[in-house]
mmCIF file of all heavy atoms in Angstrom:
data_model
loop_
_atom_site.group_PDB
_atom_site.id
_atom_site.type_symbol
_atom_site.label_atom_id
_atom_site.label_comp_id
_atom_site.label_asym_id
_atom_site.label_seq_id
_atom_site.Cartn_x
_atom_site.Cartn_y
_atom_site.Cartn_z
ATOM 1 N N ARG A 351 203.212 142.267 77.930
ATOM 2 C CA ARG A 351 204.611 142.148 78.356
ATOM 3 C C ARG A 351 205.513 142.787 77.309
ATOM 4 O O ARG A 351 205.106 142.990 76.160
ATOM 5 C CB ARG A 351 204.985 140.676 78.552
ATOM 6 C CG ARG A 351 204.853 139.839 77.297
ATOM 7 C CD ARG A 351 205.250 138.385 77.518
ATOM 8 N NE ARG A 351 204.335 137.687 78.391
ATOM 9 C CZ ARG A 351 204.141 136.370 78.352
ATOM 10 N NH1 ARG A 351 204.791 135.637 77.448
ATOM 11 N NH2 ARG A 351 203.320 135.785 79.176
ATOM 12 N N THR A 352 206.738 143.077 77.705
ATOM 13 C CA THR A 352 207.732 143.568 76.754
ATOM 14 C C THR A 352 208.355 142.390 76.030
ATOM 15 O O THR A 352 208.188 141.229 76.430
ATOM 16 C CB THR A 352 208.826 144.363 77.469
ATOM 17 O OG1 THR A 352 209.581 143.463 78.299
ATOM 18 C CG2 THR A 352 208.246 145.475 78.325
ATOM 19 N N ARG A 353 209.092 142.703 74.973
ATOM 20 C CA ARG A 353 209.746 141.634 74.223
ATOM 21 C C ARG A 353 210.761 140.909 75.117
ATOM 22 O O ARG A 353 210.912 139.686 75.049
ATOM 23 C CB ARG A 353 210.432 142.202 72.987
ATOM 24 C CG ARG A 353 210.892 141.137 71.997
ATOM 25 C CD ARG A 353 211.276 141.772 70.690
ATOM 26 N NE ARG A 353 210.164 142.540 70.116
ATOM 27 C CZ ARG A 353 209.154 141.976 69.462
ATOM 28 N NH1 ARG A 353 209.103 140.674 69.298
ATOM 29 N NH2 ARG A 353 208.190 142.728 68.949
ATOM 30 N N GLU A 354 211.442 141.684 75.974
ATOM 31 C CA GLU A 354 212.417 141.069 76.885
ATOM 32 C C GLU A 354 211.723 140.131 77.862
ATOM 33 O O GLU A 354 212.195 139.026 78.131
ATOM 34 C CB GLU A 354 213.164 142.162 77.641
ATOM 35 C CG GLU A 354 214.219 141.619 78.599
ATOM 36 C CD GLU A 354 214.907 142.732 79.356
ATOM 37 O OE1 GLU A 354 214.590 143.920 79.106
ATOM 38 O OE2 GLU A 354 215.752 142.411 80.214
ATOM 39 N N MET A 355 210.591 140.585 78.402
ATOM 40 C CA MET A 355 209.827 139.712 79.304
ATOM 41 C C MET A 355 209.345 138.468 78.578
ATOM 42 O O MET A 355 209.332 137.363 79.141
ATOM 43 C CB MET A 355 208.624 140.475 79.878
ATOM 44 C CG MET A 355 208.961 141.632 80.784
ATOM 45 S SD MET A 355 207.455 142.518 81.261
ATOM 46 C CE MET A 355 208.156 144.004 81.969
ATOM 47 N N HIS A 356 208.935 138.647 77.335
ATOM 48 C CA HIS A 356 208.444 137.503 76.556
ATOM 49 C C HIS A 356 209.571 136.500 76.304
ATOM 50 O O HIS A 356 209.367 135.282 76.420
ATOM 51 C CB HIS A 356 207.870 137.999 75.232
ATOM 52 C CG HIS A 356 207.309 136.890 74.390
ATOM 53 N ND1 HIS A 356 206.217 136.145 74.752
ATOM 54 C CD2 HIS A 356 207.729 136.373 73.189
ATOM 55 C CE1 HIS A 356 205.962 135.235 73.834
ATOM 56 N NE2 HIS A 356 206.854 135.347 72.871
ATOM 57 N N GLN A 357 210.766 137.002 75.969
ATOM 58 C CA GLN A 357 211.904 136.110 75.757
ATOM 59 C C GLN A 357 212.234 135.355 77.034
ATOM 60 O O GLN A 357 212.528 134.153 77.010
ATOM 61 C CB GLN A 357 213.126 136.920 75.292
ATOM 62 C CG GLN A 357 213.010 137.464 73.876
ATOM 63 C CD GLN A 357 212.923 136.339 72.842
ATOM 64 O OE1 GLN A 357 213.645 135.358 72.935
ATOM 65 N NE2 GLN A 357 212.036 136.496 71.876
ATOM 66 N N TYR A 358 212.173 136.068 78.167
ATOM 67 C CA TYR A 358 212.465 135.388 79.436
ATOM 68 C C TYR A 358 211.402 134.341 79.751
ATOM 69 O O TYR A 358 211.707 133.233 80.213
ATOM 70 C CB TYR A 358 212.530 136.407 80.573
ATOM 71 C CG TYR A 358 213.010 135.805 81.880
ATOM 72 C CD1 TYR A 358 214.368 135.695 82.153
ATOM 73 C CD2 TYR A 358 212.102 135.325 82.828
ATOM 74 C CE1 TYR A 358 214.813 135.129 83.336
ATOM 75 C CE2 TYR A 358 212.534 134.758 84.000
ATOM 76 C CZ TYR A 358 213.893 134.669 84.256
ATOM 77 O OH TYR A 358 214.330 134.100 85.422
ATOM 78 N N ALA A 359 210.120 134.709 79.474
ATOM 79 C CA ALA A 359 209.042 133.761 79.749
ATOM 80 C C ALA A 359 209.129 132.536 78.857
ATOM 81 O O ALA A 359 208.819 131.419 79.271
ATOM 82 C CB ALA A 359 207.693 134.461 79.553
ATOM 83 N N GLU A 360 209.569 132.737 77.596
ATOM 84 C CA GLU A 360 209.619 131.639 76.641
ATOM 85 C C GLU A 360 210.925 130.857 76.702
ATOM 86 O O GLU A 360 210.936 129.643 76.557
ATOM 87 C CB GLU A 360 209.425 132.176 75.212
ATOM 88 C CG GLU A 360 208.056 132.790 74.968
ATOM 89 C CD GLU A 360 206.956 131.753 74.994
ATOM 90 O OE1 GLU A 360 207.135 130.691 74.373
ATOM 91 O OE2 GLU A 360 205.926 131.989 75.643
ATOM 92 N N PHE A 361 212.054 131.557 76.955
ATOM 93 C CA PHE A 361 213.354 130.915 76.819
ATOM 94 C C PHE A 361 214.267 131.097 78.030
ATOM 95 O O PHE A 361 215.357 130.535 78.056
ATOM 96 C CB PHE A 361 214.094 131.467 75.587
ATOM 97 C CG PHE A 361 213.306 131.337 74.327
ATOM 98 C CD1 PHE A 361 212.749 132.451 73.717
ATOM 99 C CD2 PHE A 361 213.094 130.105 73.757
ATOM 100 C CE1 PHE A 361 212.008 132.334 72.558
ATOM 101 C CE2 PHE A 361 212.359 129.977 72.599
ATOM 102 C CZ PHE A 361 211.808 131.085 71.993
ATOM 103 N N GLY A 362 213.857 131.932 79.024
ATOM 104 C CA GLY A 362 214.742 132.207 80.160
ATOM 105 C C GLY A 362 215.041 130.967 80.967
ATOM 106 O O GLY A 362 214.240 130.041 81.052
ATOM 107 N N MET A 363 216.197 130.919 81.595
ATOM 108 C CA MET A 363 216.627 129.743 82.355
ATOM 109 C C MET A 363 215.729 129.542 83.567
ATOM 110 O O MET A 363 215.564 130.438 84.380
ATOM 111 C CB MET A 363 218.075 129.921 82.834
ATOM 112 C CG MET A 363 219.094 129.817 81.722
ATOM 113 S SD MET A 363 220.757 129.808 82.384
ATOM 114 C CE MET A 363 221.695 129.817 80.875
ATOM 115 N N ALA A 364 215.157 128.375 83.655
ATOM 116 C CA ALA A 364 214.395 127.943 84.832
ATOM 117 C C ALA A 364 213.367 128.978 85.262
ATOM 118 O O ALA A 364 213.264 129.327 86.408
ATOM 119 C CB ALA A 364 215.342 127.647 85.988
ATOM 120 N N ALA A 365 212.589 129.505 84.307
ATOM 121 C CA ALA A 365 211.591 130.513 84.651
ATOM 122 C C ALA A 365 210.193 129.973 84.370
ATOM 123 O O ALA A 365 209.536 129.444 85.245
ATOM 124 C CB ALA A 365 211.849 131.792 83.866
ATOM 125 N N HIS A 366 209.742 130.073 83.140
ATOM 126 C CA HIS A 366 208.367 129.699 82.816
ATOM 127 C C HIS A 366 208.102 128.216 83.087
ATOM 128 O O HIS A 366 207.051 127.844 83.603
ATOM 129 C CB HIS A 366 208.101 130.036 81.353
ATOM 130 C CG HIS A 366 206.655 129.933 80.983
ATOM 131 N ND1 HIS A 366 205.680 130.738 81.534
ATOM 132 C CD2 HIS A 366 206.013 129.108 80.126
ATOM 133 C CE1 HIS A 366 204.517 130.422 81.018
ATOM 134 N NE2 HIS A 366 204.680 129.446 80.162
ATOM 135 N N TRP A 367 209.090 127.357 82.772
ATOM 136 C CA TRP A 367 208.845 125.919 82.954
ATOM 137 C C TRP A 367 208.764 125.552 84.425
ATOM 138 O O TRP A 367 208.068 124.648 84.818
ATOM 139 C CB TRP A 367 209.915 125.095 82.248
ATOM 140 C CG TRP A 367 211.307 125.314 82.736
ATOM 141 C CD1 TRP A 367 212.246 126.146 82.235
ATOM 142 C CD2 TRP A 367 211.941 124.662 83.838
ATOM 143 N NE1 TRP A 367 213.408 126.065 82.945
ATOM 144 C CE2 TRP A 367 213.252 125.152 83.939
ATOM 145 C CE3 TRP A 367 211.522 123.701 84.767
ATOM 146 C CZ2 TRP A 367 214.146 124.731 84.901
ATOM 147 C CZ3 TRP A 367 212.419 123.277 85.726
ATOM 148 C CH2 TRP A 367 213.707 123.803 85.784
ATOM 149 N N ARG A 368 209.470 126.284 85.308
ATOM 150 C CA ARG A 368 209.345 126.010 86.735
ATOM 151 C C ARG A 368 207.914 126.256 87.196
ATOM 152 O O ARG A 368 207.331 125.492 87.942
ATOM 153 C CB ARG A 368 210.293 126.926 87.524
ATOM 154 C CG ARG A 368 211.708 126.411 87.630
ATOM 155 C CD ARG A 368 212.387 127.112 88.792
ATOM 156 N NE ARG A 368 213.794 126.746 88.857
ATOM 157 C CZ ARG A 368 214.770 127.615 88.712
ATOM 158 N NH1 ARG A 368 214.514 128.881 88.488
ATOM 159 N NH2 ARG A 368 216.017 127.232 88.821
ATOM 160 N N TYR A 369 207.345 127.370 86.719
ATOM 161 C CA TYR A 369 205.972 127.700 87.104
ATOM 162 C C TYR A 369 205.011 126.626 86.653
ATOM 163 O O TYR A 369 204.128 126.196 87.391
ATOM 164 C CB TYR A 369 205.608 129.052 86.498
ATOM 165 C CG TYR A 369 204.127 129.323 86.392
ATOM 166 C CD1 TYR A 369 203.339 129.473 87.513
ATOM 167 C CD2 TYR A 369 203.522 129.434 85.138
ATOM 168 C CE1 TYR A 369 201.985 129.740 87.402
ATOM 169 C CE2 TYR A 369 202.184 129.700 85.020
ATOM 170 C CZ TYR A 369 201.407 129.850 86.153
ATOM 171 O OH TYR A 369 200.083 130.095 86.042
ATOM 172 N N LYS A 370 205.187 126.142 85.429
ATOM 173 C CA LYS A 370 204.271 125.139 84.909
ATOM 174 C C LYS A 370 204.386 123.831 85.666
ATOM 175 O O LYS A 370 203.409 123.185 85.980
ATOM 176 C CB LYS A 370 204.556 124.904 83.420
ATOM 177 C CG LYS A 370 204.074 126.043 82.526
ATOM 178 C CD LYS A 370 202.570 126.149 82.528
ATOM 179 C CE LYS A 370 202.088 127.202 81.549
ATOM 180 N NZ LYS A 370 200.632 127.361 81.578
#
Side-chain angles (χ1 to χ4, degrees):
R351 61 179 67 154
T352 67
R353 192 168 302 281
E354 181 182 358
M355 294 175 193
H356 182 65
Q357 289 297 317
Y358 188 85
E360 295 292 314
F361 305 108
M363 288 188 184
H366 191 64
W367 61 265
R368 276 200 186 117
Y369 160 66
K370 286 294 185 182

